[in-house]
């Protein structure tokens, strides 16, 4: 069975949100992609303070300037498509009030006919946490735990009841309900985050950093699931942040998913051998406009299928 392929939607500032998101979404569905994805970057601090991923001195990429809001982007894509799933990899969940986010996702799922995949992470930017003002950065794990509980409650049968630190719902009718139970997928690398995933989520959202690393993390997660007695399968969607070039990358210093469409397809094939369910290919950083993004997406899809993905 072929690995499912997803495509990152155009959210960066070189794209026209209202025009390009529906256009790319329709084209991706026609090409054969199985899903469309968004990511979240709420702001770009200037002057630079905290380094990228919290690493001192590591600069933020220029593509993080002006990233479109993820749920608005998904809504535009939902209205333009009929088949593809609509996922987030990832929403920085603790930047959102749990009740409001649960309702937004439920409404989008109802409107799209049951196509939403809720991918959550805790993020790393202190600036984003300060701007959102939901809870301090140090409480991000607790907020994510509560958000998952609130989502399950709001998406479930009425009356909805929840008592937490951020949200309190006293026996209420909350609608609309999602068209089906929305899968919750988590970006989890540390042991505590992995336990949260195994015990409370439906799937895993790793980031492509190399075949050996992903295979080792996947084996570790499967061992933990067996240890904790999980019976349900863990859905897996690998995020690939590809750096496309019209010419093949030459030399020994090529990183995975860097180069022309053929080289990216070869890397996709190697990662598909791990046995993951789906690979999300985000190609939006290097194309100059939506037409180039569509052309690259079509070429990568064709070469990936020819390579056995």
């Amino acid at each position: 069975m072929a690995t499912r392929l997803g495509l990152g939607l155009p959210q960066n500032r070189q794209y026209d949100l209202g025009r390009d998101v529906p256009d790319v979404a329709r084209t991706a569905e026609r090409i054969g992609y199985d899903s469309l994805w968004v990511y979240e970057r709420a702001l770009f601090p200037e002057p630079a303070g905290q380094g990228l991923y919290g690493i001192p001195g590591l600069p933020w990429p220029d593509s993080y300037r002006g990233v479109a809001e993820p749920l608005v982007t998904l809504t535009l894509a939902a209205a333009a498509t009929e088949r593809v799933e609509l996922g987030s990899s990832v929403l920085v969940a603790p930047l959102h009030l749990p009740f409001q986010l649960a309702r937004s996702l439920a409404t989008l799922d109802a409107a799209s006919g049951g196509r939403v995949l809720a991918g959550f992470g805790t993020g790393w930017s202190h600036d984003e946490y300060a701007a959102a003002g939901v809870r301090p950065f140090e409480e991000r794990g607790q907020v994510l735990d509560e958000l998952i509980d609130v989502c399950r409650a709001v998406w479930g049968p009425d009356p909805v009841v929840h008592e937490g630190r951020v949200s309190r719902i006293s026996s209420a009718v909350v609608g609309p309900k999602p068209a089906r139970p929305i899968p919750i997928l988590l970006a989890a690398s540390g042991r505590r985050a992995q336990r949260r995933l195994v015990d409370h989520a439906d799937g895993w959202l790793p980031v492509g950093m190399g075949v050996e690393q992903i295979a080792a993390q996947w084996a570790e997660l499967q061992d933990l699931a067996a240890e904790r007695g999980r019976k349900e399968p863990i859905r897996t969607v690998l995020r690939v942040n590809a750096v496309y070039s019209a010419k093949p990358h030459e030399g020994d210093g090529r990183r995975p998913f860097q180069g022309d469409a053929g080289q990216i397809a070869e890397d996709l094939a190697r990662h598909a051998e791990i046995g993951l369910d789906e690979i999300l290919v985000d190609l939006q950083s290097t194309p100059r406009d939506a037409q180039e993004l569509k052309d690259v997406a079509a070429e990568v899809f064709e070469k990936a299928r020819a390579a056995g993905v």
Side-chain angles (χ1 to χ4, degrees), residues 111-123:
S112 65
R115 294 191 279 144
V116 171
L117 303 171
F120 299 147
T122 53

PDB file of all heavy atoms in Angstrom, residues 111-123:
ATOM      1  N   ALA A 111     -18.289  21.492   8.996  1.00  0.00           N
ATOM      2  CA  ALA A 111     -18.453  22.160   7.707  1.00  0.00           C
ATOM      3  C   ALA A 111     -17.767  21.399   6.578  1.00  0.00           C
ATOM      4  O   ALA A 111     -18.227  21.433   5.432  1.00  0.00           O
ATOM      5  CB  ALA A 111     -17.899  23.578   7.791  1.00  0.00           C
ATOM      6  N   SER A 112     -16.675  20.715   6.873  1.00  0.00           N
ATOM      7  CA  SER A 112     -15.906  20.030   5.837  1.00  0.00           C
ATOM      8  C   SER A 112     -16.313  18.576   5.661  1.00  0.00           C
ATOM      9  O   SER A 112     -15.732  17.867   4.827  1.00  0.00           O
ATOM     10  CB  SER A 112     -14.407  20.097   6.165  1.00  0.00           C
ATOM     11  OG  SER A 112     -14.116  19.371   7.350  1.00  0.00           O
ATOM     12  N   GLY A 113     -17.280  18.105   6.421  1.00  0.00           N
ATOM     13  CA  GLY A 113     -17.729  16.724   6.281  1.00  0.00           C
ATOM     14  C   GLY A 113     -16.810  15.718   6.940  1.00  0.00           C
ATOM     15  O   GLY A 113     -16.666  14.591   6.458  1.00  0.00           O
ATOM     16  N   GLY A 114     -16.170  16.107   8.047  1.00  0.00           N
ATOM     17  CA  GLY A 114     -15.347  15.170   8.804  1.00  0.00           C
ATOM     18  C   GLY A 114     -13.954  14.975   8.247  1.00  0.00           C
ATOM     19  O   GLY A 114     -13.486  13.847   8.112  1.00  0.00           O
ATOM     20  N   ARG A 115     -13.244  16.075   7.966  1.00  0.00           N
ATOM     21  CA  ARG A 115     -11.918  15.958   7.339  1.00  0.00           C
ATOM     22  C   ARG A 115     -10.786  16.547   8.172  1.00  0.00           C
ATOM     23  O   ARG A 115      -9.649  16.603   7.720  1.00  0.00           O
ATOM     24  CB  ARG A 115     -11.946  16.642   5.965  1.00  0.00           C
ATOM     25  CG  ARG A 115     -12.845  15.947   4.958  1.00  0.00           C
ATOM     26  CD  ARG A 115     -12.630  16.499   3.562  1.00  0.00           C
ATOM     27  NE  ARG A 115     -13.336  17.737   3.318  1.00  0.00           N
ATOM     28  CZ  ARG A 115     -12.874  18.752   2.577  1.00  0.00           C
ATOM     29  NH1 ARG A 115     -11.675  18.676   2.029  1.00  0.00           N
ATOM     30  NH2 ARG A 115     -13.588  19.838   2.401  1.00  0.00           N
ATOM     31  N   VAL A 116     -11.051  16.972   9.403  1.00  0.00           N
ATOM     32  CA  VAL A 116     -10.047  17.677  10.202  1.00  0.00           C
ATOM     33  C   VAL A 116      -9.159  16.701  10.978  1.00  0.00           C
ATOM     34  O   VAL A 116      -9.635  15.706  11.525  1.00  0.00           O
ATOM     35  CB  VAL A 116     -10.721  18.666  11.181  1.00  0.00           C
ATOM     36  CG1 VAL A 116      -9.713  19.247  12.168  1.00  0.00           C
ATOM     37  CG2 VAL A 116     -11.405  19.784  10.408  1.00  0.00           C
ATOM     38  N   LEU A 117      -7.862  16.997  11.003  1.00  0.00           N
ATOM     39  CA  LEU A 117      -6.884  16.308  11.847  1.00  0.00           C
ATOM     40  C   LEU A 117      -6.266  17.358  12.759  1.00  0.00           C
ATOM     41  O   LEU A 117      -5.638  18.306  12.279  1.00  0.00           O
ATOM     42  CB  LEU A 117      -5.790  15.645  11.002  1.00  0.00           C
ATOM     43  CG  LEU A 117      -6.257  14.629   9.951  1.00  0.00           C
ATOM     44  CD1 LEU A 117      -5.090  14.228   9.055  1.00  0.00           C
ATOM     45  CD2 LEU A 117      -6.847  13.403  10.632  1.00  0.00           C
ATOM     46  N   ALA A 118      -6.447  17.209  14.061  1.00  0.00           N
ATOM     47  CA  ALA A 118      -5.990  18.213  15.024  1.00  0.00           C
ATOM     48  C   ALA A 118      -4.601  17.848  15.519  1.00  0.00           C
ATOM     49  O   ALA A 118      -4.447  16.982  16.387  1.00  0.00           O
ATOM     50  CB  ALA A 118      -6.969  18.310  16.191  1.00  0.00           C
ATOM     51  N   GLY A 119      -3.586  18.508  14.964  1.00  0.00           N
ATOM     52  CA  GLY A 119      -2.208  18.268  15.372  1.00  0.00           C
ATOM     53  C   GLY A 119      -1.738  19.349  16.319  1.00  0.00           C
ATOM     54  O   GLY A 119      -1.742  20.535  15.973  1.00  0.00           O
ATOM     55  N   PHE A 120      -1.337  18.957  17.522  1.00  0.00           N
ATOM     56  CA  PHE A 120      -0.954  19.896  18.568  1.00  0.00           C
ATOM     57  C   PHE A 120       0.504  19.720  18.973  1.00  0.00           C
ATOM     58  O   PHE A 120       1.052  18.610  18.935  1.00  0.00           O
ATOM     59  CB  PHE A 120      -1.806  19.687  19.826  1.00  0.00           C
ATOM     60  CG  PHE A 120      -3.280  19.898  19.644  1.00  0.00           C
ATOM     61  CD1 PHE A 120      -4.200  19.150  20.379  1.00  0.00           C
ATOM     62  CD2 PHE A 120      -3.771  20.832  18.751  1.00  0.00           C
ATOM     63  CE1 PHE A 120      -5.560  19.338  20.236  1.00  0.00           C
ATOM     64  CE2 PHE A 120      -5.134  21.026  18.590  1.00  0.00           C
ATOM     65  CZ  PHE A 120      -6.033  20.278  19.336  1.00  0.00           C
ATOM     66  N   GLY A 121       1.110  20.817  19.402  1.00  0.00           N
ATOM     67  CA  GLY A 121       2.425  20.802  20.018  1.00  0.00           C
ATOM     68  C   GLY A 121       2.478  21.871  21.086  1.00  0.00           C
ATOM     69  O   GLY A 121       1.548  22.677  21.223  1.00  0.00           O
ATOM     70  N   THR A 122       3.578  21.926  21.838  1.00  0.00           N
ATOM     71  CA  THR A 122       3.696  22.913  22.910  1.00  0.00           C
ATOM     72  C   THR A 122       4.535  24.116  22.510  1.00  0.00           C
ATOM     73  O   THR A 122       4.541  25.119  23.221  1.00  0.00           O
ATOM     74  CB  THR A 122       4.305  22.290  24.176  1.00  0.00           C
ATOM     75  OG1 THR A 122       5.537  21.652  23.840  1.00  0.00           O
ATOM     76  CG2 THR A 122       3.355  21.279  24.793  1.00  0.00           C
ATOM     77  N   GLY A 123       5.267  24.052  21.394  1.00  0.00           N
ATOM     78  CA  GLY A 123       6.035  25.197  20.952  1.00  0.00           C
ATOM     79  C   GLY A 123       7.273  25.439  21.797  1.00  0.00           C
ATOM     80  O   GLY A 123       7.604  24.670  22.699  1.00  0.00           O
TER      81      GLY A 123
END
